Amino acid sequence: MGEPVILDGRKVAQAIREDVSERASHLKQAKGITPCLATILVGDDPSSATYVKMKGKACEKVGIDSKKVTLPADITQDDLMSTIQSLNDDPAINGILLQHPIPSHLDERAAFEAIDPEKDVDGVTSASFGRTGLGFGQYPSCTPGAIISILDYYDIPLEGKHAVVVGRSPILGKPVSLLLLNRNATVTICHSRTVDVAAKVAEADVVVAAVGKPEFVKGHWIKEGAVVVDAGYNPGNIGDVEYDASYQKASAITPVPGGVGPVTIATLLKQTMESAEKSAGLNKS
Ligand code: NAP
């Protein structure tokens, strides 16, 4: 097997950002509207604060405004829900992102569900999940959307291929499985109760690792010529796939970092842009 294609997420993210930037200028010129993403940070968890800051900066670079809403860690559920409601009602806000996780005394699912699906650009509501499953595509959870964008950018065929997804979380494993199914892949979903994950992965034409365990997917499990997408991101910049050994077997592989991660943020920008265009009557899809 020759060298695999490196599925360069930074390149894909750059292409998405350029497109969003152009569309933002067009929307400004045509309608005088600047898209706006509201981010809600509850409490003072440093990693969450960093993620929110990164997302705000990414918006700024492509001509999207961001409104940062910071709430105290001891906020009540009612106050959180009314904050979300007021953002739902604000016509200047096109997207709402509630940074996960929120403090444990709060019901995160209820808070997610309070987001208007038309503004759910992070794809966390059950309405968005249902639409993803039914193939409306508005708006899938960002990491699954990013994975499909990477595969499309590199013209990786999915129809008729056997995709094995390791992980079934509501934000990643399950929705990416639906997106792959919508593309006519035959999908196997593995989880913590799956018997012999290695044997399932060994049959895959496309492997998506979304386990949250460093180097869980071993190189020797990978079928010769398979496409390997590593959504994992563990401390020390380590993915969920054993990279070096998988590199020897794969026909294409995402690096960590620089694979799925950058495209996830770019997808959030793209979906905010789509929401703004839709509310301005430019994009009815
Ligand atoms: P999660 O909610 O912890 O889900 C992990 C999934 O892996 C679960 O479905 C779990 O199965 C499954 N699993 C755990 N142990 C397993 C085993 N031994 N065999 C088979 N399956 C097993 O994690 P997540 O939020 O989906 O995130 C997964 C990874 O993606 C993490 O590394 C995270 O950092 C990364 N991530 C990256 C991005 C990005 O933008 N790149 C975004 C989000 C997440 P059960 O359902 O049976 O428990």
Side-chain angles (χ1 to χ4, degrees), residues 13 35 39 58 63 74 77 80 95 122 124 158 184 187 191 200 239 251 253 255 258 264 266-267 273-274 277:
T39 58
D74 61 355
Q77 185 79 25
L80 174 59
D122 200 25
V124 294
L158 293 171
N184 297 322
V187 183
H191 47 80
K200 309 281 183 291
S251 60
I253 186 165
T264 295
T267 302
M273 191 65 229
E274 280 168 13
E277 287 172 339

Side-chain angles (χ1 to χ4, degrees), residues 40 78-90 96 114-116 119:
I40 308 172
D78 282 351
D79 286 349
L80 174 59
M81 300 297 257
S82 39
T83 303
I84 294 170
Q85 193 52 52
S86 66
L87 295 168
N88 284 341
D89 294 340
D90 183 345
I96 301 171
I115 297 171
D116 178 347
K119 298 189 179 188

